[in-house]
Amino acid sequence: MTADKLAALVAVALLGCVVHTCQASYGYPNPLPPIPSPTPPTAPALTLDFYSYSCPNAEAIVKEAVRNATDNNRGIGAGLIRLFFHDCFVRGCDASVLLDATTANPEPEKLGIPNFPSLRGFEVIDAAKAKLEKECGGIVSCADIVAFAGRDATFFLSNGVVDFKMPAGRYDGRVSFANETLRDLPPPFANVTVLEAMFKAKGLDLDDMVTLSGAHTVGISHCSSFADRLPADPSDPTSMEPALASSLQQRCSRGGDPVVVQDVVTPRDLDRQYYQNVLDRKVLFKSDAALLSPQTLKAVEHNAKNPGKWERKFKDAMVKMGNIEVKTKANGEIRKQCRFVN
């Protein structure tokens, strides 16, 4: 598929939401910004045990920071997995999502609608970076810390079941813009056509999309991200299960924008329960319910019914995602502080 055809496909798929203003309840602009042609994925020279000589304790330091955070709050672990995803999908895995607002750039990625105020885990990255700078200053990139933290959070939240190595060697980017988050990050109201196209734009296929969606088995969501699915619609075969919809409507009607767990069955564990929840219509987002589509239903059923299958695929998909548009020394740097460029 050519870049022009892919961009056209995404535009057409989003048209239904634009016409019916379905993104209004999510705080997204109407219409959405145009989606550009995809950037072909690079072939970076990432390697395992990248810091074995230059900073031998690098991965252990990150793992300890993640352990401390998840021991106190497993939700932070879910936030770290999401942080990795949201970093890689915008300008590649370059820690651009970590950059704070400055006078020169008052609206970085972390302030984009898909990220603010829901994205979390920044303080864990800061803690790991501070220790790494004391141990081996100027060696470990923030982008690699984000990747290691996503992997380690996966390990702890799966109770050690999903254990894998993450290649490293990324450099940190110097650019971060909030408006690019709307363009690159799949919205919670996306259908399968949109999801497939947006993942393809990053070098990931349909099965990668289904696999990575399984991260919704942990973490929390603001009610505003699924408000248009309440109450349940009996005429819609993908509508939320009525009892869950009724319970959530009660919770979400209390004022403000409350948060609820994404997986009502095993909310603390990263496991394959998400796929059974999809089949049982006990998921929050339209983008979750969209996996009941013919293109993805078989993969959902296989992941739900076969122990170990999703876990193995999730390891591979996380590593594959970590290769998106990686920066090198030629177009990146090793930041001294993860929140600011050097």
Side-chain angles (χ1 to χ4, degrees):
M1 182 182 295
T2 67
D4 289 343
K5 285 183 178 178
L6 180 58
L9 179 62
V10 177
V12 169
L14 284 172
L15 183 59
C17 274
V18 173
V19 169
H20 295 100
T21 64
C22 68
Q23 67 266 45
S25 64
Y26 300 88
Y28 280 68
N30 184 19
L32 289 171
I35 297 174
S37 299
T39 303
T42 57
L46 300 181
T47 59
L48 296 175
D49 303 314
F50 181 80
Y51 295 106
S52 58
Y53 296 105
S54 59
C55 189
N57 293 325
E59 296 191 43
I61 288 171
V62 176
K63 192 167 190 175
E64 184 62 22
V66 175
R67 183 198 303 273
N68 291 338
T70 54
D71 280 352
N72 292 324
N73 182 356
R74 287 175 75 86
I76 294 296
L80 290 168
I81 297 170
R82 184 168 180 250
L83 190 69
F84 182 40
F85 175 88
H86 281 224
D87 182 39
C88 290
F89 261 58
V90 184
R91 291 188 172 267
C93 308
D94 67 348
S96 53
V97 74
L98 304 180
L99 291 173
D100 278 352
T102 62
T103 303
N105 182 26
E107 293 190 13
E109 285 172 37
K110 63 169 54 173
L111 297 184
I113 287 171
N115 290 337
F116 184 81
S118 60
L119 208 59
R120 53 187 180 155
F122 298 108
E123 70 284 352
V124 182
I125 307 300
D126 290 338
K129 180 64 170 175
K131 288 188 178 181
L132 286 165
E133 285 299 300
K134 286 182 180 178
E135 176 120 349
C136 37
I139 299 296
V140 183
S141 71
C142 300
D144 279 343
I145 297 173
V146 171
F148 291 150
R151 174 203 59 192
D152 295 336
T154 298
F155 174 81
F156 291 122
L157 295 187
S158 69
N159 302 308
V161 173
V162 187
D163 187 12
F164 62 100
K165 283 185 167 288
M166 176 64 72
R170 302 166 187 83
Y171 278 74
D172 300 322
R174 302 185 181 95
V175 180
S176 182
F177 296 121
N179 60 3
E180 294 182 347
T181 61
L182 292 170
R183 180 194 68 188
D184 290 339
L185 290 168
F189 49 81
N191 58 33
V192 163
T193 305
V194 172
L195 291 170
E196 181 179 13
M198 295 188 83
F199 273 71
K200 274 189 177 180
K202 302 300 176 183
L204 302 172
D205 61 27
L206 186 64
D207 195 56
D208 294 324
M209 182 275 287
V210 175
T211 299
L212 290 168
S213 294
H216 287 175
T217 188
V218 286
I220 57 177
S221 170
H222 286 270
C223 287
S224 58
S225 291
F226 57 89
D228 61 339
R229 284 180 33 87
L230 303 176
D233 179 1
S235 66
D236 181 0
T238 67
S239 179
M240 195 181 294
E241 189 271 328
L244 176 61
S246 177
S247 171
L248 290 174
Q249 192 163 21
Q250 264 193 328
R251 175 74 181 270
C252 293
S253 64
R254 295 175 184 172
D257 190 9
V259 295
V260 299
V261 296
Q262 295 194 84
D263 179 350
V264 295
V265 182
T266 57
R268 289 173 50 83
D269 297 328
L270 189 136
D271 55 23
R272 72 182 195 279
Q273 179 63 42
Y274 167 80
Y275 298 97
Q276 188 59 51
N277 292 348
V278 172
L279 296 173
D280 295 339
R281 298 186 293 124
K282 293 182 178 180
V283 287
L284 300 185
F285 309 137
K286 278 187 174 179
S287 59
D288 293 326
L291 299 189
L292 289 171
S293 300
Q295 307 97 298
T296 51
L297 179 58
K298 184 175 288 188
V300 170
E301 291 173 337
H302 284 177
N303 289 339
K305 306 302 181 185
N306 296 295
K309 182 180 181 69
W310 170 74
E311 290 83 353
R312 289 190 295 272
K313 292 199 297 183
F314 192 72
K315 299 176 190 180
D316 293 339
M318 286 283 279
V319 171
K320 189 175 177 181
M321 183 173 71
N323 283 331
I324 297 174
E325 298 170 40
V326 169
K327 301 292 186 299
T328 64
K329 189 174 183 179
N331 61 355
E333 64 182 16
I334 307 296
R335 285 186 217 144
K336 297 174 183 176
Q337 297 183 57
C338 289
R339 293 174 182 261
F340 302 97
V341 298
N342 292 342

